[in-house]
């Protein structure tokens, strides 16, 4: 990876806020995998065209090529395609040109550029009064399998993503073959500033090394404890929960069921986990409205937050917010943009396409869009809408 990528975490932002949201200022750090001979088109316009096409709803390489072919000359100019020296006409690249580039891109470099762009695009709110304590930014970490990338000889590609609870993807990393998410956890978060953040994850990431790493980086954690960590699970489960008063309770009716969630918190400094300060018990009562079937589920968590760092209402909100990485990202990629139906398998294409989809979904979330399908239809009706969203005009 080129040394210039080290600047992605803190890009040169000595311009206007509009400059900070210009995608080109970040994609320029992605190295060109092509040889110097035979380059008819610069890499940056090709990458910008691919990103804009996915933002307009392109689900495949063919669709990306069609969007670029249909782009008017003014759009090609904004993308950066050079004019012919004699005629002044801007030639449109063949879809195979874009495909050959995307299948050879450095996936880590592309994800780093996209993550830096999305972080620069986010303007933190300015409080009217100094807060009594720093507001924590909640980040969820979870993995996803790109099922369409499976071949007869290779398993499907697995990607681990970090997403804030508002639906913006901050980082992504490919999991090594014959491995799992655990070794990729720390490299994934190395690219993110974890100051005043709270990490949520599933039980797989309730690892002692992860807890120590997060506390060293200045981040808090909210970790699920299950029987795969038998000693810690027994320690938390055997706390005198019956004698601990109820701290928070909610009742919701949705998805054809009634659900009651009861939360209790116990401050406990001798938990066998680095930096753990509180244990949490959640009891979920669910009744199916159609059948009347009642299920009761108990979930245990630990957190490095103290009673002074967060209220019980905030804890309950963050615990439920972790589901957002499934609902706001993975579900959209599976069902709205049909990622699992894609059969691209060559080189780094599966990861590259997933990265471009993360970019599109995150840009829509940052712009306040809640219906991603409607947002895709809206941008597809005008080439300039995608360029405006990406800061290319």
């Amino acid at each position: 990876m080129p040394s210039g990528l080290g600047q992605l975490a803190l890009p040169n932002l000595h311009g206007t806020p509009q400059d900070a949201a210009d995608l080109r200022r970040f994609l320029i750090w992605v190295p060109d995998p092509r040889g110097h001979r035979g380059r008819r088109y610069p890499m940056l316009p090709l990458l910008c065209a691919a990103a804009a096409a996915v933002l307009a709803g392109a689900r495949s390489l063919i669709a990306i090529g069609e969007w670029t072919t249909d782009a008017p000359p003014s759009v090609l100019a904004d993308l950066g395609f050079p004019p012919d020296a004699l005629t002044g006409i801007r030639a449109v690249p063949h879809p195979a040109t874009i495909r050959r580039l995307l299948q050879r891109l450095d996936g880590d470099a592309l994800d780093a550029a996209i993550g830096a762009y999305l972080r620069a695009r986010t303007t933190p709110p300015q409080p009217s009064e100094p807060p009594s304590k720093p507001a924590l930014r909640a980040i969820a970490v979870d993995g996803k399998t790109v099922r369409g990338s499976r071949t007869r000889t290779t398993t499907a590609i697995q990607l681990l993503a970090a997403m804030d609870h508002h639906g913006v993807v901050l980082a992504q990393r490919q999991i090594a073959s014959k491995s799992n998410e655990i070794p990729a956890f720390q490299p994934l978060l190395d690219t993110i500033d974890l100051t005043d953040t709270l990490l949520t994850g599933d039980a797989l990431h309730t690892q002692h090394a992860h807890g120590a790493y997060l506390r060293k980086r200045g981040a808090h954690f909210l970790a699920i404890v299950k029987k795969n960590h038998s000693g810690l699970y027994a320690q938390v489960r055997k706390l005198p929960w019956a004698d601990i008063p109820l701290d928070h309770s909610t009742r919701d009716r949705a998805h054809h069921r009634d659900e009651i969630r009861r939360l209790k918190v116990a401050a406990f400094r001798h938990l066998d986990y680095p930096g753990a300060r509180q244990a949490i018990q959640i009891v979920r009562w669910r009744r199916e409205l159609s059948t009347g079937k009642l299920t009761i589920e108990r979930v245990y968590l630990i957190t490095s937050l103290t009673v002074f760092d967060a209220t019980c209402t905030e804890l309950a909100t963050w615990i439920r917010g972790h589901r957002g990485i499934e609902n706001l990202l993975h579900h959209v990629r599976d069902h709205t943009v049909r990622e699992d139906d894609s059969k691209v398998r060559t080189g780094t294409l599966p990861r590259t396409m997933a990265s471009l989809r993360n970019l599109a979904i995150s840009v829509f979330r940052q712009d306040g869009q809640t219906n991603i399908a409607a947002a895709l239809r809206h941008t597809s009706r005008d080439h300039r809408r995608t360029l405006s969203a990406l800061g290319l005009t």
Side-chain angles (χ1 to χ4, degrees), residues 92-290:
V92 178
H94 191 276
T97 302
I98 301 177
R99 173 179 56 80
R100 285 193 295 266
L101 173 65
L102 296 183
Q103 74 184 22
R104 298 172 58 190
L105 280 180
D106 184 331
D108 289 336
L110 179 62
D111 278 322
I114 290 175
Y117 165 72
L118 293 172
R119 291 193 293 273
R121 199 173 185 269
T122 303
T123 302
Q126 300 296 328
S128 56
E129 298 180 359
S132 57
K133 61 181 180 180
L136 293 178
R137 178 181 57 162
I139 299 176
V141 175
D142 196 19
K144 181 184 185 300
T145 300
V146 185
R147 294 181 176 85
S149 63
R150 183 183 292 110
T151 67
R152 293 182 179 179
T153 58
T154 61
T155 58
I157 289 175
Q158 292 181 294
L159 300 172
L160 185 66
M163 184 199 79
D164 70 22
H165 282 202
H166 299 292
V168 178
V169 181
L170 304 175
Q172 180 176 261
R173 189 172 183 87
Q174 184 169 332
I175 299 171
S177 60
K178 299 182 181 179
S179 184
N180 56 41
E181 299 177 17
I182 295 175
F185 181 85
Q186 295 185 22
L188 172 77
L189 298 177
D190 282 340
T191 61
I192 305 174
D193 180 10
L194 297 183
T195 306
D196 295 329
T197 61
L198 173 73
L199 267 292
T200 61
D202 55 25
L204 178 66
H205 293 294
T206 307
Q207 305 288 332
H208 282 64
H210 292 357
Y213 167 81
L214 293 174
R215 296 306 296 138
K216 183 179 179 180
R217 293 283 311 276
H220 289 283
F221 58 80
L222 191 57
I224 299 175
V225 180
K226 291 187 176 181
K227 293 181 180 179
N228 56 329
H229 301 282
S230 55
L232 181 61
Y233 178 80
Q235 187 181 18
V236 174
R237 185 178 63 85
K238 291 180 180 179
L239 291 175
W241 293 109
D243 300 328
I244 297 174
L246 180 66
D247 293 296
H248 182 78
S249 179
T250 60
R251 180 167 186 168
D252 300 307
R253 174 172 291 190
H255 305 292
H256 307 286
R257 67 188 182 195
D258 262 335
E259 182 177 78
I260 298 175
R261 299 167 59 91
R262 298 162 60 90
L263 181 145
K264 294 182 177 182
V265 182
F268 195 67
R269 286 188 173 272
H270 300 289
L271 291 169
D272 183 22
Y273 196 84
R277 291 295 177 264
Q278 294 188 96
I280 303 169
Q281 182 198 62
I282 294 180
V283 181
R284 300 190 184 111
W285 301 63
R286 292 175 178 167
R287 181 172 63 88
E288 301 293 335
L289 297 180
S290 57

Side-chain angles (χ1 to χ4, degrees), residues 71-93:
S74 60
V75 170
L76 295 177
D78 287 335
L79 288 172
F81 287 103
D84 184 87
L86 296 178
T87 64
I89 298 176
R90 301 180 192 273
V92 178

